[in-house]
Amino acid sequence: MADTDWADVRLHVVTGKGGTGKTTVAAALALALASGGRKVLLVEVEGRQGIAQIFDLPPLPYEERKVAVAPSGGDVYALAIDPEEAMLEYMEMFYGMRRAGRALTKMGLVDFATTVAPGFRDVLVTGKTSEAVRRRGKNGRRVYDAVVLDAPPTGRITRFLNVTEEVAGLAKVGPIKTHSEMVSGVVKSPETAVHFVTLLEEMPVQETLDGIAEVRAAGLPTGGVFVNMVRESLLPQAVLDTAVKGRFDVGELTLGLKAAGVADGAQATTLAEALADEIAEHAHRAELERAERDSLAQAGLKGYELPLLADGVDLAGLYELAETMRNQGAA
């Protein structure tokens, strides 16, 4: 399957290795997509209440609730999917058994069902997300302009989305099969894009490349790569190139420190040597990051770089990341 044209996307699935800031990127993307008067739903499925934390809110109930106003207008709604509540909805929708389902849930129905068929839990939560993508109001228009799904980590994303394969042994006919086929129809359509969040480090980059390959092999549509927590170089490239080759002139740096009145004599030499070591370390890191960028470029996906925020990601920082995404054409 060809990679998705973002102009057609209504479901943005965000995945990434743990520690890369996946939830932060998903939340910022929702804000960016909502900017200008659009309505976007941000969904989480791992039960961590990460959305509530990032928007500085109390734990979210199992309902779609407005959590933010986007730049230039537009609303972001959020939903923390509870598999047990999703199961009750499922039973009411297909079997008219909500009351009975609640009693069965107390007896551990969800745990039993997902132990027998682990993919069924994923069908429940992706099904709720797919329904939000397809939902239309009384005027016939889609309720949400876009849905952003804060999905499981990269190592599990293909199994999570490939619901038809995961429940193939559970049901050949009936509501479960119909439901999984509906979900698959949304997830594998041009309306969906799977985005990857990474850092410019060897392990996250390799996991991202492996994830892209697995998603493509499963016939799922890929979107873009968000490189998070990027640190800008404070030195010109020529200086970095010289330093990484071990040709940095400590004597010249010593003279510069003396001329600036920062230090003198032996103190200037000691300080210059320490600064030279710092510059060499910085240059080496920049060289490694450049190599990781080159590796990511081989995947052939659109790339977006988000800055490392010195004060951490608070609500203001989230809006800053959203604006960066818009400026780079991610929304």
Coordinates of all heavy atoms in Angstrom, one line a residue, residues 6 12 29 32-33 226 304 324-331:
W6 N -1.3 13.3 3.2 CA -1.9 13.9 4.4 C -3.2 14.7 4.2 O -4.0 14.8 5.1 CB -0.9 14.8 5.1 CG 0.1 14.1 5.9 CD1 0.8 12.9 5.6 CD2 0.6 14.4 7.2 NE1 1.6 12.6 6.6 CE2 1.5 13.5 7.6 CE3 0.3 15.5 8.0 CZ2 2.2 13.5 8.8 CZ3 1.0 15.5 9.2 CH2 1.9 14.6 9.6
H12 N -5.2 10.1 12.6 CA -3.7 10.2 12.8 C -3.3 9.3 13.9 O -3.6 9.6 15.1 CB -3.3 11.7 13.0 CG -3.6 12.6 11.9 ND1 -2.7 13.0 11.0 CD2 -4.8 13.3 11.6 CE1 -3.2 13.8 10.1 NE2 -4.5 14.0 10.5
L29 N -0.1 17.6 18.1 CA -0.7 17.4 16.7 C -2.2 17.7 16.7 O -2.7 18.3 15.8 CB -0.4 16.0 16.2 CG -0.9 15.7 14.8 CD1 -0.3 16.6 13.8 CD2 -0.6 14.2 14.5
A32 N -2.5 21.4 16.7 CA -2.2 22.0 15.4 C -3.3 21.7 14.3 O -3.6 22.6 13.5 CB -0.9 21.3 14.9
L33 N -3.9 20.5 14.4 CA -4.9 20.2 13.4 C -6.2 20.9 13.7 O -7.0 21.2 12.8 CB -5.2 18.7 13.5 CG -4.1 17.7 12.9 CD1 -4.4 16.3 13.3 CD2 -4.0 17.8 11.4
F226 N 8.2 12.3 13.3 CA 8.4 13.4 14.2 C 9.6 13.2 15.0 O 9.6 12.3 15.9 CB 7.2 13.7 15.1 CG 6.0 14.2 14.3 CD1 5.1 13.3 13.8 CD2 5.7 15.5 14.2 CE1 3.9 13.7 13.1 CE2 4.6 16.0 13.5 CZ 3.7 15.1 12.9
Y304 N 9.6 15.8 10.4 CA 9.3 17.1 11.2 C 10.2 17.1 12.4 O 10.3 16.1 13.1 CB 7.9 17.2 11.5 CG 7.0 17.0 10.3 CD1 6.5 15.7 10.0 CD2 6.6 18.1 9.5 CE1 5.7 15.5 8.9 CE2 5.8 17.9 8.4 CZ 5.4 16.6 8.1 OH 4.6 16.4 6.9
T324 N 5.0 25.0 15.9 CA 6.1 24.5 15.1 C 5.7 23.5 14.0 O 6.1 23.5 12.9 CB 7.2 23.8 16.0 OG1 7.6 24.7 17.0 CG2 8.3 23.2 15.2
M325 N 4.7 22.6 14.4 CA 4.2 21.6 13.5 C 3.5 22.3 12.3 O 3.7 22.0 11.1 CB 3.2 20.7 14.2 CG 3.8 19.7 15.1 SD 2.5 18.7 15.9 CE 3.5 17.6 16.9
R326 N 2.7 23.3 12.6 CA 2.0 24.1 11.6 C 3.0 24.8 10.6 O 2.8 24.8 9.4 CB 1.1 25.1 12.2 CG -0.2 24.5 12.8 CD -1.1 25.5 13.4 NE -1.4 26.6 12.5 CZ -2.3 26.5 11.5 NH1 -3.0 25.4 11.3 NH2 -2.6 27.6 10.8
N327 N 4.0 25.4 11.2 CA 5.0 26.1 10.4 C 5.8 25.1 9.5 O 6.3 25.5 8.4 CB 6.0 26.8 11.3 CG 5.4 28.0 12.0 OD1 4.4 28.5 11.6 ND2 6.0 28.4 13.1
Q328 N 5.9 23.8 9.9 CA 6.6 22.8 9.1 C 5.7 22.1 8.1 O 6.1 21.2 7.4 CB 7.3 21.9 10.0 CG 8.5 22.5 10.8 CD 9.3 21.5 11.6 OE1 9.3 20.3 11.3 NE2 10.0 22.0 12.6
G329 N 4.4 22.4 8.2 CA 3.4 21.8 7.3 C 2.8 20.5 7.7 O 2.3 19.7 6.9
A330 N 2.9 20.2 9.0 CA 2.4 18.9 9.5 C 0.9 19.0 9.8 O 0.3 18.0 10.0 CB 3.1 18.5 10.8
A331 N 0.3 20.2 9.7 CA -1.1 20.4 9.9 C -1.6 21.6 9.1 O -0.8 22.5 8.8 CB -1.4 20.5 11.4

